[in-house]
Amino acid sequence: MKKALCLCICLFCVPVFAQQAKVEVLGLSIGKKLTPAQKDIFLFTSEGTRLQIGISLPGRTFIGEARDECKFGKFTDDKGTDLFAPLGHAPEADDWLGSFGPKFTEDGKLCGLQIEAPDLPAKDATKLQFSGTLVLRCGTTPKTAEQKSVVLKKGSKISAGPVPFEIVELQVAGNETKLDLKATKTLERIIKIAFFNKAGKEINSHREGYESSAIFGNYSITQSFVLSGKPTSVTMKISYFDKVENVTVPVEISAGLGL
């Protein structure tokens, strides 16, 4: 079985908007294709080659990626092995970005990308090489909009902020109120949704669930919130990014291996 150990990492990143994006390798794993019996023993072993990358950019808050504009360059070893060769075609977005794309920390300060290729490096390879261009969406100019006297009942509509919402479900149990907010636009610009009572005091609340689908640009997103108490109406304050910009981050990575 091939084993991999990171020994040294050399990173190169083109400056973006006169700033240097920080790019680092966060993890690397290599695993042979296992037989069914071997899989029973090693339940969580990853097959193929995986490279985990972290990206941060001072002064920017990541909120998503422009998936169609991200470009794959190569993922090879220093012996010329194309690690995506078993696909039989050039890697598409789902192949190298993953089905769900890059991940972002809650504060939007770190972007994480895991590249998963089906093939293994050559036995005498000493380095892995990756190149590609990420186009990340960043929110700027935060603002807050509010809507007063929102009646907590099914069918109530919220128009404050950049995304309209509708209460599609409401339940009161014990000393808590659960409501489902539905939107038909992407929520990438939304920072926070908060609820306030008639006295202007914020109601303790948390998001309990999230469901979304996007088919041909048609969004259906439902968020479930749990509020303390049994309020019948609230003021909703929605914090959001007023502007969104695309930031292009070309990335080239050379990671040394000990085999």
Side-chain angles (χ1 to χ4, degrees), residues 137-149:
R137 293 176 62 74
C138 298
T140 64
T141 318
K143 292 185 176 181
T144 299
E146 72 172 49
Q147 184 166 326
K148 298 181 178 180
S149 303

Side-chain angles (χ1 to χ4, degrees), residues 12-33:
F12 309 90
C13 186
V14 178
V16 180
F17 292 103
Q19 293 183 349
Q20 185 79 20
K22 181 182 179 182
V23 184
E24 60 179 330
V25 172
L26 302 178
L28 177 63
S29 66
I30 299 174
K32 292 176 64 175
K33 186 173 181 61

